[in-house]
């Protein structure tokens, strides 16, 4: 097979689409994992990837196998427990993203539009259709995410999706999803920056992301926080962000909490 591709290695060998722990046990028992590890030792496979839709299963596999990259379905519907592959609570999903960021496991996002569910007003849980750009931004704001891979059928779709790079902040703003959120998402910052501008020039989303990652044990995130030009200590409690946040975050209190954590 590799001969036909005119190569003697492949960049990624994948543990494909594992959602059930029983399937993972079988994967280990039938020798598939050992075979993959052997190929990696021999340099035939350079890296090991995992694809899954289930946070709990993915966490177990990350504990037991040297995974370098995770393909995971991230979109506003699944993250808010709506849709076919919406597995895990908000906290479980967030913990997985944070763990990947801390462990240097890049997340490649699949199903960024929830299989089209959120692009159609009739099936979107947010009362209106979202745009692909809003979905891209939502996924890219998540810790650990390095790339987003939508399914594409035509060149016209490629051209349209590449427009993301020229899209305005308004076009990418997904704060509409704050109109529908499960109770365990209320008051949790999603790093969207809808609450900006901050008169003190604080990148509110980034400050919150580094704080959450640092608390979950990511030493590099703490380092990144300290390198920010403006941080939570610069907050003057003007209240602008609190009035703007559609996710019910008391950002003024968060800034105080973040400032004392890092000081
Ligand atoms: S405080 Fe609210 S609006 Fe601001 S970044 Fe967090 S979730 Fe978004
Ligand atoms: S309360 Fe603090 S973080 Fe929020 S907008 Fe005002 S200065 Fe910025």
């Amino acid at each position: 097979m590799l001969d036909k591709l005119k190569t003697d290695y492949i960049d990624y060998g994948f543990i494909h689409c594992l959602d059930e722990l029983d399937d993972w046990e079988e994967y280990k028992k039938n020798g598939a994992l050992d075979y993959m590890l052997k190929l990696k030792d021999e340099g035939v496979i350079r890296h090991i990837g995992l694809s899954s839709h289930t946070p709990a299963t993915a966490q177990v596999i990350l504990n037991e196998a040297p995974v370098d990259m995770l393909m995971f379905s991230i979109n506003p519907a699944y993250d808010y427990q709506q849709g076919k592959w919406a597995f895990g609570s908000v906290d479980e999903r967030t913990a997985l993203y944070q763990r990947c960021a801390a462990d240097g496991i890049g997340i490649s996002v699949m199903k960024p539009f929830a299989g089209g569910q959120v692009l159609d007003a009739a099936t979107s849980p947010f009362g209106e259709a979202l745009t692909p750009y809003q979905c891209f931004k939502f996924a890219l704001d998540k810790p650990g995410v390095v790339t987003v891979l939508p399914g594409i059928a035509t060149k016209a779709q490629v051209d349209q999706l590449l427009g993301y790079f020229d899209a305005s902040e308004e076009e990418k703003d997904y704060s509409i999803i704050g109109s529908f959120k499960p109770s365990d998402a209320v008051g949790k910052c999603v790093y969207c920056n809808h609450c900006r501008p901050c008169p003190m020039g604080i990148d509110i989303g980034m400050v919150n992301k580094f704080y959450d990652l640092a608390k979950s044990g990511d030493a590099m995130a703490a380092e990144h926080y300290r390198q920010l030009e403006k941080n939570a200590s610069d907050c003057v409690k003007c209240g602008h962000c609190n009035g703007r946040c559609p996710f019910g975050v008391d950002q003024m209190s968060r800034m105080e909490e973040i400032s004392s954590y890092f000081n």
Side-chain angles (χ1 to χ4, degrees):
M1 176 67 179
L2 290 181
D3 291 350
K4 291 209 171 73
L5 295 171
K6 298 192 187 334
T7 180
D8 56 2
Y9 74 92
I10 50 174
D11 287 317
Y12 272 92
F14 257 85
I15 303 168
H16 183 60
C17 216
L18 271 184
D19 288 319
E20 303 290 338
L21 276 179
D22 285 351
D23 292 340
W24 174 237
E25 289 306 320
E26 182 58 31
Y27 202 91
K28 290 186 289 182
K29 215 174 346 160
N30 68 19
L33 177 63
D34 287 341
Y35 182 58
M36 190 178 274
L37 293 175
K38 176 176 165 289
L39 292 179
K40 191 176 179 203
D41 277 349
E42 293 168 355
V44 179
I45 289 174
R46 296 280 164 90
H47 304 282
I48 292 181
L50 162 69
S51 68
S52 177
H53 303 92
T54 313
T57 303
Q59 289 276 19
V60 170
I61 298 173
L62 296 186
N63 289 341
E64 298 181 356
V67 171
D68 301 298
M69 185 259 233
L70 173 67
M71 285 193 82
F72 197 76
S73 45
I74 299 179
N75 58 65
Y78 295 177
D79 271 25
Y80 283 1
Q81 295 145 36
Q82 298 289 310
K84 186 175 174 196
W85 304 100
F87 300 135
S89 67
V90 171
D91 285 347
E92 284 171 323
R93 296 176 72 89
T94 302
L96 178 64
Y97 310 154
Q98 291 177 343
R99 184 221 178 128
C100 287
D103 292 353
I105 299 168
I107 301 176
S108 176
V109 173
M110 51 186 180
K111 298 194 181 300
F113 314 139
Q117 180 188 355
V118 296
L119 302 182
D120 184 340
T123 50
S124 166
F126 308 107
E128 62 180 70
L130 301 184
T131 67
Y133 298 166
Q134 289 171 311
C135 296
F136 281 171
K137 176 78 163 58
F138 177 85
L140 289 167
D141 279 345
K142 296 286 164 281
V145 169
V146 292
T147 188
V148 180
L149 291 174
I152 292 167
T154 64
K155 180 178 178 297
Q157 284 177 346
V158 175
D159 292 340
Q160 196 247 341
L161 295 175
L162 287 176
Y164 179 80
F165 294 106
D166 299 318
S168 66
E169 288 309 310
E170 287 71 29
E171 287 175 287
K172 297 186 233 171
D173 186 333
Y174 55 84
S175 56
I176 180 65
I177 70 171
S179 62
F180 171 92
K181 49 192 175 297
S183 56
D184 60 346
V186 176
K188 288 181 183 158
C189 184
V190 296
Y191 324 125
C192 66
N193 265 338
H194 180 73
C195 52
R196 290 211 299 175
C198 162
M200 299 307 291
I202 300 170
D203 185 335
I204 298 171
M206 202 56 83
V207 162
N208 278 266
K209 189 186 280 191
F210 288 154
Y211 171 57
D212 288 337
L213 286 169
K215 271 201 312 178
S216 72
D218 186 339
M220 203 179 282
E223 201 49 49
H224 288 324
Y225 174 86
R226 293 185 203 292
Q227 284 167 12
L228 287 172
E229 212 168 293
K230 299 278 179 151
N231 62 36
S233 311
D234 295 298
C235 174
V236 293
K237 297 188 176 52
C238 71
H240 178 259
C241 50
N242 274 30
R244 291 263 303 158
C245 178
F247 299 91
V249 179
D250 179 359
Q251 194 54 250
M252 280 199 298
S253 303
R254 280 275 288 183
M255 284 291 164
E256 208 169 316
E257 181 185 322
I258 296 170
S259 176
S260 57
Y261 177 86
F262 284 108
N263 290 331

Coordinates of all heavy atoms in Angstrom, one line a residue, residues 135-209:
C135 N -19.4 29.4 13.2 CA -19.1 28.0 13.7 C -17.5 27.9 13.8 O -17.0 27.3 14.7 CB -19.7 27.0 12.9 SG -21.5 27.0 12.9
F136 N -16.9 28.4 12.8 CA -15.4 28.3 12.8 C -14.8 29.0 14.0 O -14.0 28.5 14.7 CB -14.8 29.0 11.5 CG -14.8 28.2 10.3 CD1 -14.5 28.7 9.1 CD2 -15.2 26.8 10.3 CE1 -14.6 28.0 7.9 CE2 -15.2 26.1 9.1 CZ -14.9 26.7 7.9
K137 N -15.3 30.2 14.2 CA -14.8 31.0 15.4 C -15.1 30.3 16.7 O -14.2 30.3 17.6 CB -15.4 32.4 15.3 CG -15.1 33.4 16.5 CD -13.7 33.9 16.3 CE -13.4 35.2 17.1 NZ -13.5 35.0 18.6
F138 N -16.3 29.8 16.8 CA -16.7 29.1 18.0 C -15.7 27.9 18.3 O -15.2 27.8 19.4 CB -18.1 28.5 17.9 CG -18.5 27.7 19.1 CD1 -19.1 28.3 20.2 CD2 -18.3 26.3 19.1 CE1 -19.5 27.5 21.3 CE2 -18.7 25.5 20.2 CZ -19.3 26.1 21.3
A139 N -15.4 27.2 17.3 CA -14.4 26.0 17.4 C -13.0 26.5 17.7 O -12.3 26.0 18.6 CB -14.5 25.1 16.2
L140 N -12.6 27.5 17.0 CA -11.2 28.0 17.1 C -11.0 28.7 18.5 O -9.8 28.8 18.9 CB -10.8 29.0 16.0 CG -10.7 28.3 14.6 CD1 -10.7 29.4 13.5 CD2 -9.4 27.5 14.6
D141 N -12.0 29.2 19.1 CA -11.9 29.8 20.5 C -11.7 28.7 21.5 O -11.3 29.0 22.7 CB -13.2 30.6 20.8 CG -13.2 32.0 20.2 OD1 -12.1 32.4 19.7 OD2 -14.2 32.6 20.2
K142 N -11.9 27.4 21.2 CA -11.8 26.4 22.3 C -10.3 26.1 22.5 O -9.5 26.0 21.5 CB -12.5 25.1 21.8 CG -14.0 25.3 21.7 CD -14.7 25.4 23.0 CE -16.1 26.0 23.0 NZ -16.2 27.4 22.8
P143 N -9.9 25.9 23.8 CA -8.5 25.5 24.1 C -8.1 24.3 23.3 O -8.9 23.3 23.2 CB -8.5 25.2 25.6 CG -9.7 25.9 26.1 CD -10.7 25.9 25.0
G144 N -6.9 24.2 22.8 CA -6.3 23.0 22.2 C -6.6 22.9 20.7 O -6.0 22.1 20.0
V145 N -7.6 23.7 20.2 CA -8.0 23.5 18.8 C -6.9 24.2 17.9 O -6.5 25.3 18.1 CB -9.4 24.2 18.5 CG1 -9.6 24.3 17.0 CG2 -10.5 23.4 19.2
V146 N -6.4 23.4 16.9 CA -5.5 23.9 16.0 C -6.0 24.1 14.6 O -5.5 24.8 13.8 CB -4.2 23.1 16.0 CG1 -3.4 23.2 17.3 CG2 -4.5 21.6 15.7
T147 N -7.1 23.3 14.3 CA -7.6 23.4 12.9 C -9.1 22.9 12.9 O -9.5 22.2 13.8 CB -6.8 22.6 11.9 OG1 -7.2 22.9 10.6 CG2 -6.9 21.1 12.1
V148 N -9.8 23.4 11.9 CA -11.2 23.0 11.8 C -11.4 22.5 10.3 O -11.0 23.1 9.4 CB -12.1 24.3 12.0 CG1 -13.6 23.9 11.8 CG2 -11.9 24.9 13.3
L149 N -12.0 21.3 10.3 CA -12.1 20.6 9.0 C -13.6 20.3 8.6 O -14.1 19.3 9.0 CB -11.4 19.3 9.0 CG -9.8 19.4 9.1 CD1 -9.3 18.0 9.2 CD2 -9.3 20.0 7.8
P150 N -14.2 21.2 7.9 CA -15.6 20.9 7.5 C -15.6 20.0 6.3 O -14.6 19.9 5.5 CB -16.2 22.3 7.1 CG -15.0 23.1 6.7 CD -13.8 22.5 7.4
G151 N -16.7 19.3 6.1 CA -16.9 18.5 4.8 C -17.1 19.4 3.7 O -17.8 20.4 3.8
I152 N -16.4 19.2 2.6 CA -16.5 20.1 1.4 C -16.8 19.2 0.2 O -16.2 18.2 -0.1 CB -15.2 20.8 1.2 CG1 -15.0 21.8 2.4 CG2 -15.2 21.6 -0.1 CD1 -13.6 22.4 2.4
A153 N -17.8 19.7 -0.7 CA -18.1 19.0 -1.9 C -17.7 19.7 -3.2 O -17.5 19.1 -4.2 CB -19.7 18.7 -1.9
T154 N -17.7 21.0 -3.1 CA -17.4 21.8 -4.4 C -16.4 22.8 -4.2 O -16.1 23.3 -3.0 CB -18.7 22.5 -4.9 OG1 -19.1 23.5 -3.9 CG2 -19.9 21.5 -5.0
K155 N -15.8 23.3 -5.3 CA -14.8 24.4 -5.2 C -15.5 25.7 -4.7 O -14.9 26.4 -3.9 CB -14.2 24.6 -6.6 CG -13.2 25.7 -6.5 CD -12.5 26.0 -7.9 CE -11.5 27.1 -7.8 NZ -12.1 28.4 -7.5
A156 N -16.7 25.9 -5.1 CA -17.4 27.1 -4.6 C -17.5 27.1 -3.1 O -17.4 28.1 -2.4 CB -18.8 27.1 -5.2
Q157 N -17.7 25.9 -2.5 CA -17.7 25.8 -1.0 C -16.4 26.2 -0.4 O -16.3 26.9 0.6 CB -18.1 24.4 -0.6 CG -19.6 24.2 -0.7 CD -20.0 22.7 -0.3 OE1 -19.2 21.9 -0.2 NE2 -21.3 22.5 -0.2
V158 N -15.3 25.7 -1.1 CA -13.9 26.0 -0.6 C -13.8 27.5 -0.6 O -13.3 28.1 0.4 CB -12.9 25.3 -1.5 CG1 -11.5 25.8 -1.0 CG2 -13.0 23.8 -1.4
D159 N -14.1 28.1 -1.7 CA -13.9 29.6 -1.9 C -14.7 30.3 -0.8 O -14.2 31.3 -0.2 CB -14.4 30.1 -3.2 CG -13.5 29.6 -4.3 OD1 -12.3 29.2 -4.0 OD2 -13.9 29.5 -5.5
Q160 N -15.9 29.9 -0.5 CA -16.8 30.5 0.4 C -16.2 30.4 1.8 O -16.1 31.3 2.6 CB -18.2 29.9 0.4 CG -19.3 30.8 1.1 CD -19.8 30.1 2.3 OE1 -19.7 28.9 2.5 NE2 -20.4 30.9 3.2
L161 N -15.7 29.2 2.2 CA -15.2 29.0 3.5 C -13.9 29.7 3.7 O -13.6 30.2 4.8 CB -15.0 27.5 3.8 CG -16.3 26.6 3.8 CD1 -16.0 25.2 3.9 CD2 -17.2 27.1 4.9
L162 N -13.1 29.8 2.7 CA -11.8 30.6 2.8 C -12.1 32.1 3.1 O -11.2 32.8 3.6 CB -10.9 30.4 1.5 CG -10.3 29.0 1.4 CD1 -9.6 28.9 0.1 CD2 -9.3 28.7 2.5
G163 N -13.3 32.5 2.8 CA -13.6 33.9 3.1 C -13.5 34.2 4.6 O -13.5 35.4 5.0
Y164 N -13.4 33.2 5.4 CA -13.3 33.4 6.9 C -12.1 34.3 7.2 O -12.2 35.1 8.1 CB -13.1 32.0 7.5 CG -12.9 32.1 9.0 CD1 -14.0 32.3 9.9 CD2 -11.7 32.1 9.6 CE1 -13.9 32.4 11.3 CE2 -11.5 32.2 11.0 CZ -12.6 32.3 11.8 OH -12.5 32.5 13.2
F165 N -11.0 34.1 6.4 CA -9.8 34.8 6.7 C -10.0 36.3 6.5 O -9.2 37.1 7.0 CB -8.6 34.3 5.9 CG -8.3 32.9 6.3 CD1 -8.6 31.8 5.5 CD2 -7.7 32.6 7.5 CE1 -8.3 30.5 5.8 CE2 -7.4 31.3 7.9 CZ -7.7 30.3 7.0
D166 N -11.0 36.7 5.7 CA -11.2 38.2 5.4 C -12.5 38.6 6.1 O -12.9 39.8 6.0 CB -11.4 38.4 3.9 CG -10.1 38.0 3.1 OD1 -9.0 38.3 3.6 OD2 -10.3 37.4 2.1
A167 N -13.2 37.8 6.9 CA -14.4 38.1 7.5 C -14.2 39.1 8.6 O -13.2 39.1 9.3 CB -15.1 36.9 8.0
S168 N -15.2 40.0 8.9 CA -15.1 41.0 10.0 C -15.4 40.3 11.3 O -16.0 39.2 11.3 CB -16.1 42.1 9.7 OG -17.4 41.5 9.8
E169 N -15.0 40.9 12.4 CA -15.3 40.4 13.7 C -16.8 40.2 13.9 O -17.3 39.3 14.5 CB -14.8 41.3 14.8 CG -13.3 41.2 15.0 CD -12.7 39.8 15.1 OE1 -13.2 39.0 15.9 OE2 -11.8 39.5 14.3
E170 N -17.6 41.1 13.3 CA -19.1 41.0 13.4 C -19.6 39.8 12.7 O -20.5 39.1 13.2 CB -19.8 42.3 12.8 CG -19.6 43.6 13.5 CD -18.2 44.1 13.5 OE1 -17.5 43.9 12.5 OE2 -17.8 44.8 14.5
E171 N -19.0 39.5 11.6 CA -19.5 38.3 10.8 C -19.1 37.0 11.6 O -19.8 36.0 11.5 CB -18.8 38.2 9.5 CG -19.3 39.2 8.4 CD -18.6 39.1 7.1 OE1 -17.4 39.6 7.1 OE2 -19.1 38.6 6.2
K172 N -18.1 37.0 12.4 CA -17.7 35.8 13.2 C -18.3 35.8 14.6 O -18.2 34.7 15.2 CB -16.2 35.8 13.3 CG -15.4 35.7 12.0 CD -13.9 35.6 12.3 CE -13.1 36.6 11.6 NZ -11.7 36.7 12.0
D173 N -18.9 36.8 15.0 CA -19.5 36.9 16.3 C -20.6 35.9 16.5 O -21.7 36.0 15.8 CB -20.0 38.3 16.6 CG -20.5 38.6 18.0 OD1 -20.9 37.6 18.7 OD2 -20.4 39.7 18.5
Y174 N -20.5 35.0 17.4 CA -21.5 33.9 17.6 C -22.3 34.1 18.9 O -22.8 33.1 19.4 CB -20.8 32.5 17.6 CG -19.7 32.3 18.6 CD1 -19.9 32.0 19.9 CD2 -18.4 32.5 18.2 CE1 -18.9 31.8 20.8 CE2 -17.3 32.4 19.0 CZ -17.6 32.0 20.4 OH -16.5 31.8 21.2
S175 N -22.3 35.4 19.4 CA -22.9 35.6 20.7 C -24.4 35.2 20.7 O -25.0 35.0 21.8 CB -22.7 37.0 21.2 OG -23.3 37.9 20.2
I176 N -25.0 35.1 19.6 CA -26.4 34.7 19.5 C -26.7 33.3 20.2 O -27.8 33.1 20.8 CB -26.9 34.5 18.0 CG1 -28.4 34.1 17.9 CG2 -26.0 33.6 17.2 CD1 -29.3 35.1 18.4
I177 N -25.6 32.5 20.3 CA -25.9 31.2 21.0 C -26.1 31.4 22.5 O -26.6 30.5 23.1 CB -24.7 30.2 20.7 CG1 -23.4 30.6 21.5 CG2 -24.5 30.0 19.2 CD1 -22.4 29.5 21.4
G178 N -25.8 32.6 23.0 CA -26.1 32.8 24.4 C -27.5 32.9 24.7 O -28.0 32.8 25.8
S179 N -28.4 32.9 23.6 CA -29.8 33.0 23.8 C -30.3 31.6 24.2 O -31.5 31.4 24.7 CB -30.5 33.4 22.5 OG -30.3 32.5 21.5
F180 N -29.5 30.6 23.9 CA -29.9 29.2 24.3 C -28.7 28.6 24.9 O -27.7 28.4 24.3 CB -30.3 28.4 23.1 CG -30.5 26.9 23.4 CD1 -31.7 26.5 23.8 CD2 -29.4 26.1 23.4 CE1 -31.9 25.1 24.1 CE2 -29.6 24.7 23.7 CZ -30.8 24.3 24.1
K181 N -28.7 28.2 26.2 CA -27.6 27.6 26.8 C -28.1 26.7 27.9 O -29.0 27.0 28.7 CB -26.6 28.6 27.3 CG -27.1 29.7 28.2 CD -26.1 30.8 28.4 CE -26.7 32.0 29.2 NZ -27.7 32.7 28.5
P182 N -27.5 25.5 28.1 CA -27.9 24.6 29.2 C -27.5 25.3 30.5 O -26.6 26.1 30.5 CB -27.2 23.3 28.9 CG -26.1 23.7 28.0 CD -26.5 24.9 27.3
S183 N -28.2 24.9 31.6 CA -27.9 25.5 32.9 C -26.4 25.4 33.3 O -25.9 26.3 33.9 CB -28.8 25.0 34.0 OG -28.6 23.6 34.0
D184 N -25.8 24.3 32.9 CA -24.4 24.2 33.3 C -23.4 25.0 32.5 O -22.2 25.0 32.7 CB -23.9 22.7 33.4 CG -24.0 22.0 32.1 OD1 -24.6 22.5 31.2 OD2 -23.4 20.9 32.0
A185 N -24.0 25.8 31.5 CA -23.1 26.7 30.7 C -23.3 28.1 31.2 O -22.4 28.9 30.8 CB -23.5 26.6 29.2
V186 N -24.3 28.4 32.0 CA -24.5 29.8 32.4 C -23.4 30.3 33.3 O -22.9 29.6 34.2 CB -25.9 29.9 33.2 CG1 -26.0 31.3 33.7 CG2 -27.0 29.5 32.3
G187 N -22.9 31.4 33.0 CA -21.8 32.0 33.8 C -20.5 31.6 33.4 O -19.5 31.9 34.1
K188 N -20.3 30.8 32.4 CA -19.0 30.3 32.0 C -18.5 31.0 30.7 O -19.2 31.0 29.7 CB -19.0 28.7 31.8 CG -19.2 28.0 33.1 CD -19.2 26.6 33.0 CE -19.5 26.0 34.4 NZ -20.0 24.7 34.4
C189 N -17.3 31.5 30.8 CA -16.8 32.3 29.7 C -16.4 31.3 28.6 O -15.8 30.3 28.8 CB -15.6 33.1 30.2 SG -14.9 34.1 28.9
V190 N -16.9 31.7 27.3 CA -16.5 30.9 26.2 C -15.5 31.6 25.3 O -15.2 31.1 24.2 CB -17.8 30.5 25.3 CG1 -18.8 29.7 26.1 CG2 -18.5 31.8 24.8
Y191 N -14.9 32.6 25.8 CA -13.8 33.4 25.2 C -14.1 34.0 23.9 O -13.3 34.2 23.0 CB -12.6 32.4 25.0 CG -12.4 31.4 26.1 CD1 -12.3 30.0 25.8 CD2 -12.3 31.7 27.4 CE1 -12.2 29.0 26.8 CE2 -12.2 30.8 28.4 CZ -12.1 29.4 28.1 OH -12.0 28.5 29.1
C192 N -15.4 34.4 23.7 CA -15.8 34.9 22.4 C -15.5 36.3 22.2 O -15.5 36.8 21.1 CB -17.4 34.7 22.3 SG -18.3 35.8 23.5
N193 N -15.2 37.1 23.3 CA -14.8 38.5 23.2 C -16.0 39.4 22.7 O -15.7 40.5 22.3 CB -13.6 38.7 22.3 CG -12.3 38.8 23.1 OD1 -12.4 39.1 24.3 ND2 -11.2 38.5 22.5
H194 N -17.2 38.9 22.8 CA -18.3 39.8 22.4 C -18.4 41.0 23.4 O -19.0 42.0 23.0 CB -19.6 38.9 22.5 CG -20.9 39.7 22.2 ND1 -21.2 40.1 20.9 CD2 -21.9 40.2 22.9 CE1 -22.3 40.8 20.9 NE2 -22.8 40.9 22.1
C195 N -17.9 40.8 24.6 CA -18.0 41.9 25.6 C -17.0 43.0 25.3 O -17.1 44.1 26.0 CB -17.7 41.3 27.0 SG -16.2 40.4 27.1
R196 N -16.1 42.9 24.4 CA -15.2 44.0 24.1 C -15.9 45.0 23.3 O -16.9 44.8 22.7 CB -13.9 43.4 23.4 CG -13.1 42.6 24.3 CD -11.6 42.6 24.0 NE -11.3 42.1 22.6 CZ -10.1 42.1 22.0 NH1 -9.1 42.6 22.7 NH2 -10.0 41.7 20.8
P197 N -15.3 46.2 23.2 CA -14.0 46.6 23.6 C -14.0 47.0 25.1 O -14.9 47.5 25.7 CB -13.7 47.9 22.8 CG -15.1 48.5 22.6 CD -16.0 47.3 22.4
C198 N -12.8 46.6 25.7 CA -12.6 47.0 27.1 C -11.8 48.3 27.1 O -10.8 48.4 26.4 CB -11.7 45.9 27.7 SG -10.9 46.4 29.3
P199 N -12.2 49.3 27.9 CA -11.6 50.6 27.9 C -10.1 50.5 28.3 O -9.3 51.4 27.9 CB -12.4 51.4 28.8 CG -13.1 50.5 29.7 CD -13.4 49.3 28.8
M200 N -9.7 49.4 29.0 CA -8.3 49.3 29.4 C -7.5 48.4 28.4 O -6.4 48.1 28.6 CB -8.3 48.6 30.8 CG -8.9 49.5 31.9 SD -8.3 51.2 31.9 CE -6.6 50.9 32.4
G201 N -8.2 48.0 27.3 CA -7.5 47.2 26.3 C -7.2 45.8 26.7 O -6.3 45.2 26.1
I202 N -8.0 45.3 27.6 CA -7.8 43.9 28.0 C -8.4 42.9 27.0 O -9.5 43.1 26.6 CB -8.4 43.6 29.4 CG1 -7.8 44.6 30.5 CG2 -8.2 42.2 29.8 CD1 -8.5 44.5 31.8
D203 N -7.6 41.9 26.6 CA -8.2 40.9 25.7 C -8.9 39.9 26.7 O -8.3 39.0 27.2 CB -7.1 40.2 25.0 CG -7.6 39.1 24.0 OD1 -8.7 38.7 24.2 OD2 -6.9 38.8 23.0
I204 N -10.2 40.2 26.9 CA -10.9 39.5 27.9 C -11.0 38.0 27.7 O -10.8 37.2 28.6 CB -12.4 40.1 28.1 CG1 -12.2 41.6 28.5 CG2 -13.2 39.4 29.1 CD1 -13.5 42.4 28.5
G205 N -11.3 37.6 26.5 CA -11.4 36.2 26.1 C -10.1 35.5 26.4 O -10.0 34.4 27.0
M206 N -9.0 36.1 26.0 CA -7.7 35.4 26.1 C -7.3 35.3 27.6 O -6.8 34.3 28.1 CB -6.6 36.2 25.4 CG -5.4 35.5 25.0 SD -5.7 34.0 24.1 CE -5.9 34.6 22.4
V207 N -7.5 36.4 28.4 CA -7.2 36.4 29.8 C -8.0 35.2 30.5 O -7.4 34.5 31.3 CB -7.6 37.7 30.5 CG1 -7.8 37.6 32.0 CG2 -6.6 38.8 30.1
N208 N -9.3 35.1 30.1 CA -10.1 34.0 30.7 C -9.6 32.6 30.3 O -9.6 31.7 31.1 CB -11.6 34.2 30.3 CG -12.2 35.2 31.2 OD1 -12.9 34.8 32.2 ND2 -12.1 36.5 30.9
K209 N -9.2 32.5 29.0 CA -8.8 31.2 28.5 C -7.5 30.8 29.3 O -7.4 29.6 29.7 CB -8.5 31.2 27.0 CG -8.3 29.9 26.4 CD -7.9 29.9 25.0 CE -9.0 30.1 24.0 NZ -8.7 29.9 22.6

